[in-house]
């Protein structure tokens, strides 16, 4: 089951309950403001970034390895799983 556009596992997010977030696949706007990854994915008609032919793109990679909010590429690995890669 796809939980997010970028590969974050929403069930493990520390902000999900406290912010009342239903995950970006279930809400129109994230609690933290606009998300360019979510916007890009939805504009292209994909459920997650892993469905995009240019995956992993520069934007997703930048988010995945952001020093403050990144996850060292775990979201990219998750998108690969959602697209059926091992």
């Amino acid at each position: 089951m796809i939980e997010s556009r970028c590969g974050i596992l929403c069930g493990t997010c520390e902000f999900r309950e406290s912010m009342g977030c239903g995950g970006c696949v279930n809400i129109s706007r994230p609690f933290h403001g606009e998300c360019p990854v979510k916007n890009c994915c939805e504009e292209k008609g994909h459920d997650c970034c892993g469905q995009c032919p240019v995956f992993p793109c520069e934007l997703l990679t930048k988010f995945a390895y952001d020093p403050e909010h990144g996850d060292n590429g775990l979201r990219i690995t998750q998108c690969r799983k959602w697209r059926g890669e091992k």
Side-chain angles (χ1 to χ4, degrees):
M1 180 180 109
I2 293 173
E3 295 182 39
S4 68
R5 303 293 182 217
C6 71
I8 288 177
L9 294 175
C10 296
T12 64
C13 178
E14 62 187 83
F15 300 108
R16 185 174 182 152
E17 282 190 41
S18 65
M19 299 304 291
C21 180
C24 68
V25 297
N26 298 309
I27 58 176
S28 60
R29 185 167 182 218
F31 67 87
H32 53 76
E34 290 296 316
C35 176
V37 175
K38 173 181 170 47
N39 292 344
C40 178
C41 189
E42 291 176 354
E43 286 170 5
K44 292 178 178 180
H46 302 308
D47 293 325
C48 77
C49 292
Q51 297 171 334
C52 186
V54 295
F55 169 81
C57 70
E58 185 178 330
L59 178 62
L60 179 62
T61 301
K62 179 181 170 187
F63 269 72
Y65 291 98
D66 178 77
E68 187 176 351
H69 300 291
D71 57 9
N72 206 26
L74 292 176
R75 68 187 76 196
I76 293 173
T77 301
Q78 186 59 51
C79 281
R80 283 191 172 106
K81 290 178 184 176
W82 287 337
R83 71 189 257 161
E85 292 181 26
K86 293 185 179 192

